[in-house]
């Protein structure tokens, strides 16, 4: 069955076979770029993650990205799973790429997308340390091109925009209640991407144990998300105990619950407003370049 994404655009229902750029025909991309210029770029990892597949933080970023693209008439560029993982480098299945390599690679992608006509680029991730890769690229890209592109840290957005969705009666007595709902989001993301069967049925990783590196939390917390000091996890269980999924019924219940949270989060992000602000910010920047021709982006354009 052909899936179509419908959007009310200028009073007309626009139909698209898919919003995932790698699945589109070149002609479909050309047709899209005649009316809009928005692309969502999820940045992920392949790393050990308890009882969930290694690409769980890539997949949830892509699922959120897809919902965001549907909300603002954008496209989503999937297939970016290999970046800086951080402390999970001790996992035998973790693919570790340096921060510097990730910045350069993502910058090349951003420049390519700009050449194609995607001026409003939004990079997202639910991987905590992703900011170490994406934020420097976003700032350097602006100095080079004068085009403002955006990074939205979905972990931060989750706590600022959707904290109330995690307030349950169990929260006060069960420290695992929050993580159980977060695990439901992970499972719900696999459902959104049509990959629910990739989530294994297991109870092996559900024991809640303390992290072996916990004695060093006082210095880990001196900067944001893995940015304070280099270290790796000493035990596989450090990242992360996972809610037991003993049967298909439990997996489906978690998927449905998690998908609702993802959809509510994206609704609260108000993507139409975000992309309009990017458009206005570009105009603001162009005016500043006229006033301050020594700005890097203005100088690069002139030379």
């Amino acid at each position: 069955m052909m899936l179509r994404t419908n959007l009310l655009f200028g009073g007309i229902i626009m139909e698209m076979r898919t919003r995932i750029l790698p699945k589109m025909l070149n002609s479909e991309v050309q047709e899209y770029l005649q009316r809009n210029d928005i692309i969502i770029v999820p940045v992920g990892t392949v790393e050990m993650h308890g009882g969930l597949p290694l690409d769980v933080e890539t997949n949830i970023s892509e699922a959120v990205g897809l919902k965001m693209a549907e909300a603002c008439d954008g496209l989503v560029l999937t297939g970016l799973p290999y970046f800086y993982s951080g402390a999970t480098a001790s996992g035998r299945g973790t693919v570790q790429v340096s921060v510097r390599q990730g910045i350069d690679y993502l910058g090349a992608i951003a420049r390519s997308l700009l050449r194609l006509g995607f001026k409003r680029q939004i990079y997202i991730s639910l991987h905590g340390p992703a900011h170490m890769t994406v934020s420097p690229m976003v700032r350097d890209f602006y100095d080079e091109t004068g085009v403002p592109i955006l990074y939205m840290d979905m972990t931060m957005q989750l706590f600022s925009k959707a904290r109330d969705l995690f307030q349950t009666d169990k929260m006060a007595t069960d420290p695992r209640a929050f993580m159980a709902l977060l695990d439901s989001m992970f499972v719900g993301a696999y459902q959104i991407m049509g990959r629910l069967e990739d989530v294994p049925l297991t109870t092996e990783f559900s024991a809640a144990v303390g992290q072996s590196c916990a004695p060093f939390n006082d210095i880990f917390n001196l900067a944001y998300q893995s940015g304070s000091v280099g270290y790796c996890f000493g035990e596989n269980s450090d990242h992360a105990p996972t809610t037991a999924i003993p049967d298909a019924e439990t997996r489906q219940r978690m998927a449905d619950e998690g998908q609702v949270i993802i959809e509510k989060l994206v609704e609260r992000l108000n993507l139409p407003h975000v992309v309009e602000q990017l458009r206005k910010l570009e105009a603001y920047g162009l005016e500043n370049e006229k006033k301050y021709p020594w700005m890097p982006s203005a100088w690069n354009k002139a030379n």
Side-chain angles (χ1 to χ4, degrees), residues 62-280:
E62 291 183 346
V64 172
L66 179 58
K67 291 297 180 181
M68 290 171 65
E70 291 172 353
C72 65
D73 187 30
L75 304 185
V76 56
L77 179 64
T78 59
L80 294 173
Y82 304 113
F83 289 92
Y84 178 68
S85 295
T88 58
S90 53
R92 199 61 182 267
T94 297
V95 178
Q96 181 76 308
V97 174
S98 77
V99 174
R100 190 177 305 277
Q101 289 169 327
I103 293 171
D104 291 341
Y105 177 52
L106 206 57
I109 290 170
R111 290 188 291 274
S112 176
L113 290 172
L114 181 61
R115 288 194 298 270
L116 294 175
F118 293 100
K119 296 193 73 173
R120 288 183 287 178
Q121 303 178 23
I122 301 177
Y123 293 77
I124 67 167
S125 186
L126 269 101
H127 175 62
H131 71 97
M132 300 169 70
T133 298
V134 189
S135 293
M137 185 279 291
V138 165
R139 295 301 314 194
D140 286 349
F141 185 86
Y142 177 73
D143 282 348
E144 177 186 339
T145 67
V147 177
I149 59 178
L150 178 67
Y151 174 50
M152 298 180 68
D153 187 312
M154 286 297 115
T155 302
M156 292 177 62
Q157 301 309 310
L158 193 61
F159 284 103
S160 65
K161 299 288 198 307
R163 184 183 291 272
D164 62 298
L165 300 178
F166 290 84
Q167 301 302 316
T168 67
D169 293 338
K170 292 183 178 180
M171 201 71 69
T173 57
D174 182 3
R176 281 287 300 159
F178 175 83
M179 293 306 300
L181 284 175
L182 190 60
D183 287 341
S184 292
M185 283 187 65
F186 289 136
V187 179
Y190 280 102
Q191 177 164 274
I192 289 171
M193 299 306 290
R195 298 179 51 195
L196 186 56
E197 295 297 321
D198 287 352
V199 178
L201 305 179
T202 179
T203 61
E204 178 184 354
F205 302 91
S206 60
V209 296
Q211 290 184 309
S212 65
C213 55
F216 307 101
N217 282 343
D218 59 335
I219 61 173
F220 293 162
N221 295 330
L222 295 177
Y224 180 71
Q225 289 278 7
S226 299
S228 59
V229 64
Y231 71 100
C232 67
F233 292 131
E235 302 292 338
N236 289 347
S237 59
D238 287 343
H239 190 270
T242 308
T243 303
I245 310 177
D247 50 50
E249 290 74 20
T250 300
R251 181 173 62 190
Q252 187 62 59
R253 175 184 56 77
M254 292 175 65
D256 293 341
E257 184 177 53
Q259 181 168 343
V260 169
I261 294 174
I262 290 172
E263 290 173 347
K264 286 184 177 179
L265 170 64
V266 171
E267 181 181 355
R268 293 178 183 188
L269 292 176
N270 192 3
L271 266 299
H273 172 73
V274 170
V275 297
E276 178 63 12
Q277 284 289 84
L278 277 178
R279 186 188 65 78
K280 292 179 179 178

